[in-house]
Amino acid sequence: MKESQPAEGHGASSTTPLDLGRSRCRSCQQRERCLPGTLGASQTQRFEPMVQRRRPLASGEHLFRVGDTFRHLCAVQSGCLKTYTIDAEGREHVMAFHFPGEVIGLDAVFPARHLTSCVALTGSQVCCLPYASLGTLTQEMPELQTQLLRMLSRDMLGAASIAGDYTANERLAGFLVMVAARLHRREPTPTSLNLAMSRQDIANYLRLAPETVSRILARFQKDGLVKADRRHIALLNPDGLAEIAACMNPYARFGVPQLQRNAAS
Amino acid sequence: MKESQPAEGHGASSTTPLDLGRSRCRSCQQRERCLPGTLGASQTQRFEPMVQRRRPLASGEHLFRVGDTFRHLCAVQSGCLKTYTIDAEGREHVMAFHFPGEVIGLDAVFPARHLTSCVALTGSQVCCLPYASLGTLTQEMPELQTQLLRMLSRDMLGAASIAGDYTANERLAGFLVMVAARLHRREPTPTSLNLAMSRQDIANYLRLAPETVSRILARFQKDGLVKADRRHIALLNPDGLAEIAACMNPYARFGVPQLQRNAAS
DNA sequence: CGGGATATTGACTGTCATCAATTGCTGTGG
DNA sequence: CCACAGCAATTGATGACAGTCAATATCCCG
């Protein structure tokens, strides 16, 4: 059973994106990784005023919920969020975690409605770009469209990675490696993670039972790969983890067309 | 085996019965579902000449392979293809099947290289739009960008659907419903499918063993849901299948989460 | 018509889920 | 300040779903 608390926020969670003044993309720490990352100074100046900064989300507060009309693209400035759905059987499926610099909501463009809910796992600061402005802006700034496509493309890649048929070991190792890679604030790659998500969240993301997550983590610890203390996880042997997860890494597959078992020729 | 470039210079292009000189989006059966679907007549006329039509792919021929540089977006005009990867362990993962009117390659934008291979499952006709032209065209035609985003968004949705934690039954039922929905050439929804993919392909797509696909199909047949004869599958009870797969349907989750209970099994 | 790939069916195994009990952390109130 | 509630995480025992191995059956293509 995959249930979790759809953490109750306040009733007005998705209705009022209080605009607390203007965002300052140019001085934002996440700028390079974010949507305006490829824009020049003047373009950034043009871009900035379109962005609204929301009141900070408290842990458990929702950014949007299933069925909400899709109004803006959101970017995480700080904190961590998850998008998820509860299916007809009551099981929670975590579609993605969102770290600083990442954009949320690209999958809602098509139906113009959110098919997922998005909740903050910790206090989080989020910037919003009205979807209506996006069209105008990309018309003016080709770089923006390029960046948008790249981010979308990257999201698809990430989704495809965990969608694949891998063992529980591989998926969890891949998860740790991925989180480490996406958390780099300034260091090359952090070796010490402070996860914002619970075991249950991780399990629902990786299609595992939370007990299995615990057990595998214990095994990794016994093998000297990690030191796991609740939500703080130290990667003692990142290369070892990466090796376990090697099969999930899409970049590891250039050049040599390996022995193909099931491929059509 | 290498075909990165469309065959145009050869005199051989005149051997095929069809006029291969240029694409005729305006008269294409797939136009509405395809990239230029939202364009007006004059814009379509502007769009058309940018599109190259490839020599038809034979079953088993590759459209691109892992590591190829990403040059164009491709649209399926007829036939069926699959994109897949072979991981470090030699396992094949089928990322997606591609039916007429669908666009291939959007996930390769980011690294500018194909991280997957794409092979035709039957004889297939494919149209190619150079990625370089895409930027120019979307600048001119906002509708094109909208359509592009919608298609991307839809792809992500599809990927997320099968990525979730569902039982083998649910995934296979969902697969059948999805294929039926995506194959509608003109009928409302076909009740009779001629699959282009093997059991192995389906299994690799759904993270199952091919034996499991067979077994579940047999069970569905025993329950009167389908009539499966090799690659020809008749959906005897589409609603029953849809009900089994209900939990995978992202649109079923608006307002009231409660579903009507009819005959199960 | 025959060989090889594809599909089906059966028996058994293993991975991971489920059920259950316990521990440990955190915040709250007596 | 400690006791307790409540939740998150761990650990153990057991079982089920799907995978693996193996043996035909069937189709397709030469």
Side-chain angles (χ1 to χ4, degrees):
Chain A
M1 212 82 58
K2 311 277 155 118
E3 326 176 10
S4 164
Q5 67 310 331
E8 194 57 43
H10 305 78
S13 56
S14 59
T15 53
T16 20
L18 299 181
D19 188 355
L20 294 190
R22 290 303 166 195
S23 288
R24 302 222 133 244
C25 291
R26 74 192 96 171
S27 61
C28 177
Q29 282 227 330
Q30 307 299 339
R31 197 185 67 83
E32 289 181 14
R33 324 169 57 196
C34 193
L35 206 43
T38 53
L39 300 182
S42 65
Q43 285 179 327
T44 302
Q45 202 162 6
R46 166 93 178 85
F47 179 85
E48 259 183 16
M50 316 297 292
V51 178
Q52 303 167 350
R53 185 191 270 172
R54 282 180 59 108
R55 164 179 61 77
L57 289 166
S59 175
E61 251 186 308
H62 274 77
L63 181 59
F64 53 78
R65 289 176 187 269
V66 178
D68 287 355
T69 63
F70 174 64
R71 288 210 185 78
H72 16 249
L73 242 41
C74 298
V76 185
Q77 196 186 42
S78 67
C80 184
L81 303 91
K82 72 169 177 187
T83 51
Y84 68 94
T85 63
I86 311 285
D87 72 18
E89 319 283 353
R91 295 170 296 199
E92 176 183 283
H93 302 259
V94 173
M95 323 299 285
F97 296 109
H98 305 283
F99 297 104
E102 299 179 353
V103 168
I104 305 174
L106 291 169
D107 56 329
V109 172
F110 165 48
R113 264 171 191 277
H114 287 289
L115 299 177
T116 58
S117 300
C118 184
V119 66
L121 298 176
T122 70
S124 302
Q125 179 63 258
V126 169
C127 308
C128 299
L129 177 70
Y131 182 56
S133 335
L134 185 67
T136 324
L137 287 170
T138 51
Q139 287 301 306
E140 291 181 30
M141 316 175 192
E143 298 87 349
L144 195 58
Q145 173 172 350
T146 305
Q147 179 75 343
L148 189 62
L149 281 177
R150 293 182 69 180
M151 297 185 100
L152 258 161
S153 184
R154 200 185 48 184
D155 281 3
M156 293 190 70
L157 201 57
S161 268
I162 76 114
D165 184 16
Y166 303 101
T167 67
N169 269 337
E170 291 162 349
R171 289 209 294 278
L172 187 53
F175 171 76
L176 293 173
V177 169
M178 175 208 66
V179 171
R182 280 161 70 185
L183 269 186
H184 59 80
R185 296 184 168 282
R186 48 203 75 178
E187 316 152 56
T189 304
T191 173
S192 166
L193 311 177
N194 268 306
L195 300 181
M197 61 290 283
S198 67
R199 296 284 188 270
Q200 181 84 61
D201 289 333
I202 299 173
N204 290 348
Y205 179 63
L206 298 175
R207 313 190 286 270
L208 296 173
E211 294 94 329
T212 304
V213 174
S214 267
R215 269 186 264 266
I216 294 178
L217 229 33
R219 206 182 312 149
F220 282 175
Q221 181 153 342
K222 189 167 61 62
D223 297 347
L225 291 166
V226 305
K227 173 83 175 60
D229 176 45
R230 234 133 152 111
R231 295 194 180 188
H232 180 266
I233 295 184
L235 309 188
L236 302 182
N237 181 1
D239 294 339
L241 287 171
E243 192 174 347
I244 293 176
C247 51
M248 293 184 69
N249 182 359
Y251 298 97
R253 291 198 278 281
F254 289 104
V256 205
Q258 294 271 84
L259 48 112
Q260 33 194 352
R261 262 195 350 195
N262 303 325
S265 60
Chain B
M1 279 255 208
K2 271 298 193 184
E3 33 245 326
S4 312
Q5 47 225 338
E8 47 187 279
H10 297 296
S13 59
S14 57
T15 58
T16 28
L18 289 174
D19 173 27
L20 292 188
R22 50 185 182 210
S23 287
R24 303 220 133 247
C25 292
R26 74 192 96 171
S27 61
C28 176
Q29 282 228 330
Q30 307 298 339
R31 196 185 67 85
E32 289 182 14
R33 323 170 58 196
C34 194
L35 206 42
T38 52
L39 300 182
S42 65
Q43 286 179 326
T44 303
Q45 201 163 6
R46 165 96 178 85
F47 180 84
E48 260 183 16
M50 315 297 292
V51 178
Q52 304 165 350
R53 187 190 267 174
R54 283 181 60 108
R55 164 179 64 77
L57 288 166
S59 175
E61 252 185 308
H62 274 77
L63 181 59
F64 53 78
R65 290 176 187 271
V66 178
D68 287 356
T69 62
F70 174 65
R71 289 213 184 76
H72 16 248
L73 242 43
C74 299
V76 184
Q77 195 186 44
S78 67
C80 185
L81 303 92
K82 72 169 177 187
T83 51
Y84 68 94
T85 63
I86 311 286
D87 72 18
E89 320 282 353
R91 295 171 296 198
E92 176 184 284
H93 302 259
V94 173
M95 323 299 286
F97 297 109
H98 305 282
F99 297 105
E102 299 178 355
V103 168
I104 305 174
L106 291 169
D107 57 332
V109 172
F110 167 48
R113 265 171 190 277
H114 287 288
L115 299 177
T116 59
S117 300
C118 183
V119 66
L121 299 176
T122 69
S124 302
Q125 178 65 256
V126 169
C127 309
C128 298
L129 176 70
Y131 183 56
S133 333
L134 186 66
T136 324
L137 288 170
T138 51
Q139 287 302 307
E140 290 183 29
M141 315 175 192
E143 297 87 349
L144 195 58
Q145 173 173 351
T146 305
Q147 180 75 344
L148 189 63
L149 280 177
R150 293 182 67 180
M151 298 184 99
L152 257 161
S153 184
R154 200 185 47 184
D155 281 3
M156 293 190 70
L157 201 58
S161 270
I162 78 116
D165 184 17
Y166 303 101
T167 67
N169 268 339
E170 292 162 350
R171 289 207 295 277
L172 187 53
F175 171 76
L176 294 174
V177 169
M178 175 208 65
V179 170
R182 280 161 70 185
L183 269 186
H184 59 80
R185 295 183 169 284
R186 48 203 75 176
E187 316 152 56
T189 305
T191 173
S192 166
L193 311 177
N194 267 306
L195 300 181
M197 62 290 286
S198 68
R199 295 284 188 271
Q200 180 83 61
D201 289 332
I202 299 173
N204 290 348
Y205 178 64
L206 298 175
R207 314 190 283 271
L208 296 173
E211 294 94 328
T212 304
V213 174
S214 269
R215 269 186 265 266
I216 294 177
L217 229 34
R219 205 182 312 150
F220 282 176
Q221 181 153 341
K222 187 167 62 63
D223 297 346
L225 291 167
V226 305
K227 173 84 175 57
D229 176 43
R230 217 97 176 145
R231 294 193 181 189
H232 180 265
I233 294 183
L235 308 189
L236 302 182
N237 182 1
D239 293 339
L241 286 172
E243 192 174 349
I244 293 176
C247 50
M248 293 184 67
N249 181 1
Y251 298 97
R253 291 199 276 282
F254 289 105
V256 192
Q258 195 71 354
L259 284 183
Q260 288 184 344
R261 291 294 170 97
N262 288 349
S265 73

